[in-house]
Amino acid sequence: MKIALAQQNYHIGNFTANTNKIISAIEEARKQGADLVVFSELSICGYPPRDFLEFDDFINQCNASIDLIRAHTRDIGVIIGAPVRNPVKEGKDLFNGAWLLYQGEIKGIAHKTCLPTYDVFDEYRYFEPAWEWNVLEFKGRRIALTICEDIWALSENPLYRISPMEQLIGQHPDIMINISASPFDYDHDEDRKEVVRANVLKYHLPMVYCNCVGSQTEIVFDGGSLIYNATGELIREAKYFEEDFMLVDLDASATVTGAGDTERRQLDKDMRVSKISDPEKIISYLTAENNIRQIYAALVLGIRDYFSKMGFTKAILGSSGGIDSAVTLAIACDALGAENVRAILMPSQFSTSHSVDDAVQLSKNLGNPYDIIPIKPVFDAFMDSLKPVFGDLPFSVAEENIQSRTRGNLVMAIANKFGYILLNTSNKSELATGYGTLYGDMAGGLSVLGDVYKMQVFALARFINRDKEIIPENIITKPPSAELRPGQKDSDSLPEYELLDKVLYQYIERRQGPQDLISMGIEEALVNRVLKLVNSNEYKRNQFCPIIRVSSKAFGVGRRMPIVGKYLS
Amino acid sequence: MKIALAQQNYHIGNFTANTNKIISAIEEARKQGADLVVFSELSICGYPPRDFLEFDDFINQCNASIDLIRAHTRDIGVIIGAPVRNPVKEGKDLFNGAWLLYQGEIKGIAHKTCLPTYDVFDEYRYFEPAWEWNVLEFKGRRIALTICEDIWALSENPLYRISPMEQLIGQHPDIMINISASPFDYDHDEDRKEVVRANVLKYHLPMVYCNCVGSQTEIVFDGGSLIYNATGELIREAKYFEEDFMLVDLDASATVTGAGDTERRQLDKDMRVSKISDPEKIISYLTAENNIRQIYAALVLGIRDYFSKMGFTKAILGSSGGIDSAVTLAIACDALGAENVRAILMPSQFSTSHSVDDAVQLSKNLGNPYDIIPIKPVFDAFMDSLKPVFGDLPFSVAEENIQSRTRGNLVMAIANKFGYILLNTSNKSELATGYGTLYGDMAGGLSVLGDVYKMQVFALARFINRDKEIIPENIITKPPSAELRPGQKDSDSLPEYELLDKVLYQYIERRQGPQDLISMGIEEALVNRVLKLVNSNEYKRNQFCPIIRVSSKAFGVGRRMPIVGKYLS
């Protein structure tokens, strides 16, 4: 049997675009002689549709798309993802379904059993878990059809009490097909391969694993669909960060031998927290070239898809001569074209001349347009207006924030006037510690580096400069500074980034508590200071724009903390 | 048996404060001769603890609090809410538990079965549902102990496939005890009474129903704990929006008769969407005096608890002479004391003289401090600085936004200088349609009116003026305007609020689609225009501050929409 796999980039709720894309792939699969073509999870409506699923009208539109697609399946099977109305009154009103369409009919539907409800996932918010399991017959083959998370519960410490493959295996399937919407983080591709292979080795069946690709606001799907034969050999691996189309003849490649499952390691719950526990290895792990290269690709796709799906073409950002804005600018130019990214240099009275020179040189290297607008006149006007209220009180964080917000205002004004979208340049270490000004440098429509620690920003800069100097060396080597008061340096307010990022990674990605951190040899006062900074600045992050997610635990929708909480704060 | 019920206001993660408060109530119950004292759901750590639950350290602290409290139970039983570690490897690592403590020991734990995972609730994110059910014995009584949502699945259209009371009733309990964290919305108190009573009538058992009180960032818990005897008579009802303590002798009040369940109506799934479907009745429902009075009380508590739990005392806001800021100011003065609320009047060149006069009169009536800072000098400085970029382009929305952001900047500067928290004054109708400026009038730490439609804001103003004129009549009667260009009125950009709010309520609270709205007699062009405004402005609301929730569907954590989505937009 010839199976085609279509790894596609969908737009949530854009039924016309998604349906047309799906029908095109069906035509292509037919042309190439496929018996069956497989699409990813909830491909009909895009993943994650979130609360759109609560609208009856939205489900009706999903069903209308299924009807349109069905008409194209007279001589080819299609496996596709769409919500399914629950026919009984008990339980939630929907299932997350994998539909088998053929001969213009719905031949069968598998419901998802394991509903991820952690991190960025909210599936139990919408869906009832499956309570019955049936192998689907197609052209004499018996398909064990599952959806994404369904195949992830195979460790000795599973997140779910029921494993659908354990239910299906007794019905003697010939093949496993899994349709997924499995997002990127910088070592998730390895986890994914391991999980798919572990299933193949456990059940001695070939597996067709179809993932989607593309970015949906903050969540990047990296593709990398997989086809394994029954012996655990990887037959085909789709492209990462791009659409792809693959065709395999399973009869030619599926040779069952007595492979064991000895290589299977502890998965499941452990996979949901990052795995690097040795504090000495954290920075080298975070900045490893393989991770940085993937992060770069994810950020480019994240920017590009945000703009194309929102209908925007042009970006703007504040370019300070510092490393965060330099890296953001370089990535944005790659994603959107340098001519579509406008840099605004807004020196203050405390900016060094180097800052402007470096930022100018950066834009010359990249070839993007830039303007220089000093902020002192507006800052002075603010201070004059506030004189009756401020009196003779000394310069404080209020004046620093006025400068930062003046910049935010200037760049938003140009954005509003000409239709640019403001890219935010804050990094994860700053967001974690609240080292930023609301409505100032925290302004923006999309955060490029908000899930990238400062040490990783340095590594990204080196990666960007790998062939030639794009980011001026001085930007990389000078001490980080917000330049909001004379001689200011980040290290006046924060621990050195190498130390800070270690603590943050342990706390944020690995959910280690204060005692764990102290027992790793980190000074107690530092632990308490950093954890208090993280928790007491939740209110700032709560108003922050979407962050392109590249780690296993990004700020934003995947990390939900109380604001009025009084824990470690 | 004498049962005490402690309706308390907890602070999430503040174990010291919560434990002390709980121990005080145990002492009081002992003094009053109670056999048993009942506390609300997750009272140990406060509800909702969100992702704090993912930290082992947090669970350890919960257990340490349980140990402290246990020592106070030698001669009195305590039923209390706290997370419970799941002893088996399968499934999530925690249960949501109701603990029976007595004689210094843990006598039993009931696990929650029905885990609300919709709107503001995320319980399946953290908890495994119960899979076994046991009546707990205490002093010869058999207690059917359940947690909040567990008693809500009794309709013919239940959200859950298993009802724990159906499991427990076969074990012949004598009494039902339910510990809850059931939030306020403006007709939820009636639903709650109906559900509790329906259980009493169905199972012919008395019910002690303990709710918490207090606001946790955006979610207001309104208390109103209930005690019913087995015949369905309400024996005691605790205060709303306040802490309370009640003691009943159940033997004196529990007379079982053959009450039927004929009055039970369709509950469950229907209760999760608002019930007013007749478009003609929506505005009178939204502005009904009973609802407005409750909303007012919830907003006062929401502000007061946000400030006290964050450790703040003083608020600031921009007072424009319009109705939204007037109502916000009046409520804030009630919540925090007029002397702690500073109003900043920031007229533009387009403001009418009435606006300043009205705002001054309002602050005189309330007795709160105020300052007047015209924005023209700063606005002119912005325009001068932007001249090289803007050239001679005509006045547009960019210039309107500069004025709004200048105001946001000025008021934030004063807030930062003196330690005020900025209260946001945007209403739900504006937020729904994106009629506001990011970082300008959308700035603030807490939104007071973000879940209150414009028509309800008018009703709140009338309510505030019920005894004497606090809000000057002119503020209520003049046409709403942002005053950002000459002669501007809201109605230039938006439908009349009476019509707009009807459409918004049907779409937001009732999830009606375009066809439903059109079939209600609303013009198609208007439907499409309003729905597109709502959906295409998700990116703005995504950066908005927490909104005190008063309706069954507020913007914020309880409504999760894709930003890059292309649905009705």
Side-chain angles (χ1 to χ4, degrees), chain A residues 11 57 91 125 269 564 567, chain B residues 11 57 91 119 269 564 567:
Chain A
H11 188 182
D57 174 74
R125 186 173 169 93
K269 284 180 192 171
V564 300
Y567 170 58
Chain B
H11 186 182
D57 174 74
D119 196 60
K269 285 180 192 171
V564 300
Y567 170 59

Side-chain angles (χ1 to χ4, degrees), chain A residues 10-32:
Chain A
Y10 305 105
H11 188 182
I12 294 167
N14 194 338
F15 293 100
T16 308
N18 295 344
T19 302
N20 288 340
K21 188 172 272 199
I22 289 162
I23 290 171
S24 293
I26 295 172
E27 304 303 343
E28 179 63 26
R30 179 186 290 109
K31 213 164 65 184
Q32 294 195 21

